[in-house]
Amino acid sequence: MQDEAIRWGPATLADVARRADVSKSTVSRALSNDPTLNIRDETRLRIKAAAHELGYMPNSNARSLRLARSWCVAFVVPELQNPVFGQTIDGAHRAAADRGYSMLIAPVEASPAHDELARNIVLGSRVDGILLNTLEYPKFLADTSALQARMVLVNRQTGADGEHCVLLDNEAGARLAVQELAKLGHRRIAYMPTSSVSWVSQRRREGYHLGMKAVGLEGEERIMPECEADLAAAEACAAEILASPNRPTAIVAWNILLAVGVTRAARRLGIAVPEDLSVISLNDSSAAQMMTPQVSAVRLPLFQLGWQAACLLIDLIEGKPVAPEPVVLTPECVILRETTGPAPS
């Protein structure tokens, strides 16, 4: 192969242009998805194939200097251990990569060390925009807004003018869970909330009430005491309710962790799941299938949540027109596994 000379160092724009038989400017515009570039689809595909074959990586430093952008976005989450955030981060990362952006992941917590987090991210890291997956830290939100950073709220909403957000329909998810349990004949359906006062928690609680009303059980709602998102706390809380007279025959749990706490408490009290008690989590993840018994759950489009949020943020960064209304994603379905069954007779 005479034309495939050994190369020392990375491929350049000129190498891709030569391989694709086009100009360097055409390669640059095609690889940056310039909407004003008027070329045939086969030419665009040929350029991308050439770049892939040569292992070409755009010079982000040169591009940043030319366009006064960093080609990097930040995803701010309250924690990294929660698998829910993992699925959302994955969707955002893939969408950003497809648009030529890298992504910084920043967990935020209430501590003096994080007081300057917003400034450090926006100014120190020179990100072009922020995906914000928590509203529990008002100072961070206020600081980010004051810095006039481009921002998209992820499954959060404040109602402020000019706000951009991508949301899960959390109310619909809770309604679905209640309706599925009602179909199985359950009437004593309780809701187990977390102690968090987040926007998501409020929406899910409202969805539970709406679900009970929709199946003709208005006035029979039962909200269990709030508990920390902790397995031991969930088990203790559930044990207290399950040991009481006229206990519920079904529980809608705020997430998988709380649902597992319920099943553990039931096992300790000799209450069979699902024969005597059904449990549905309002989040699904691979962890639900690893539990014994496997946890029934409402499947939410978490990957799509991250994907849509990143796409919206990048559209804002690139000055593309975006709709002012929030993007709302509906639950995918309810996955009935080993923690749900017909109501006991």
Side-chain angles (χ1 to χ4, degrees):
M1 296 176 61
Q2 198 87 19
D3 59 333
E4 296 291 338
I6 295 175
R7 163 173 298 283
W8 300 101
T12 65
L13 202 67
D15 296 326
V16 179
R18 208 162 25 246
R19 172 70 68 92
D21 195 25
V22 295
S23 68
K24 288 198 297 182
S25 65
T26 300
V27 171
S28 176
R29 294 172 66 190
L31 294 181
S32 62
N33 297 314
D34 184 346
T36 65
L37 178 61
N38 185 19
I39 58 173
R40 291 182 298 176
D41 288 343
E42 64 183 62
T43 304
R44 194 182 300 273
L45 291 173
R46 190 169 73 246
I47 292 169
K48 292 188 176 182
H52 178 73
E53 290 164 7
L54 292 169
Y56 172 72
M57 295 291 291
N59 186 328
S60 58
N61 288 334
R63 186 169 59 159
S64 297
L65 288 171
R66 186 173 68 253
L67 299 176
R69 295 223 300 268
S70 66
W71 299 89
C72 179
V73 297
F75 199 134
V76 179
V77 294
E79 58 176 308
L80 293 176
Q81 295 85 358
N82 192 324
V84 169
F85 295 123
Q87 294 177 62
T88 309
I89 289 169
D90 187 25
H93 173 260
R94 295 199 194 185
D98 282 356
R99 299 279 289 269
Y101 288 74
S102 57
M103 193 171 82
L104 168 73
I105 301 169
V108 61
E109 59 186 42
S111 73
H114 284 71
D115 281 352
E116 294 299 315
L117 183 60
R119 184 172 294 278
N120 292 340
I121 290 175
V122 177
L123 300 181
S125 304
R126 290 200 65 245
V127 297
D128 295 326
I130 293 177
L131 298 167
L132 185 56
N133 204 180
T134 177
L135 292 178
E136 276 69 77
Y137 307 102
K139 185 180 187 308
F140 181 88
L141 182 61
D143 289 350
T144 306
S145 300
L147 291 168
Q148 298 184 326
R150 299 178 187 89
M151 181 168 57
V152 170
L153 299 182
V154 185
N155 202 28
R156 300 293 189 272
Q157 188 175 30
T158 69
D161 290 341
E163 177 177 274
H164 297 282
C165 47
V166 180
L167 311 170
L168 296 173
D169 192 338
N170 291 280
E171 288 185 6
R175 287 201 311 271
L176 265 181
V178 170
Q179 288 165 0
E180 285 294 332
L181 291 168
K183 285 179 189 175
L184 292 168
H186 293 277
R187 293 187 60 82
R188 299 200 304 275
I189 304 171
Y191 175 60
M192 186 179 197
T194 178
S195 56
S196 166
V197 292
S198 69
W199 181 86
V200 173
S201 297
Q202 295 167 14
R203 300 284 78 72
R204 289 181 179 176
R205 186 186 292 247
E206 181 64 22
Y208 164 76
H209 286 289
L210 292 173
M212 292 292 280
K213 182 177 182 180
V215 298
L217 296 176
E218 187 175 14
E220 299 184 43
E221 297 93 340
R222 186 169 184 180
I223 304 292
M224 296 170 62
E226 296 175 350
C227 71
E228 296 292 329
D230 172 83
L231 190 56
E235 185 174 347
C237 177
E240 184 178 346
I241 296 300
L242 294 177
S244 64
N246 199 34
R247 62 173 174 78
T249 64
I251 294 175
V252 177
W254 191 80
N255 66 6
I256 290 173
L257 190 66
L258 268 59
V260 173
V262 172
T263 62
R264 287 192 178 188
R267 183 164 60 245
R268 183 153 55 88
L269 293 170
I271 298 171
V273 176
E275 291 81 5
D276 300 322
L277 175 71
S278 288
V279 185
I280 289 183
S281 163
L282 291 181
N283 273 336
D284 189 32
S285 75
S286 57
Q289 300 177 63
M290 299 177 190
M291 302 299 164
T292 303
Q294 294 183 11
V295 179
S296 299
V298 177
R299 178 165 291 171
L300 303 170
L302 297 170
F303 180 93
Q304 192 66 19
L305 173 68
W307 178 282
Q308 293 266 25
C311 288
L312 175 57
L313 178 61
I314 293 170
D315 283 346
L316 288 169
I317 292 167
E318 297 180 351
K320 296 181 179 177
V322 298
E325 301 82 13
V327 178
V328 182
L329 306 177
T330 57
E332 294 177 359
C333 58
V334 178
I335 307 294
L336 297 180
R337 298 190 178 101
E338 297 172 350
T339 60
T340 42
S345 55

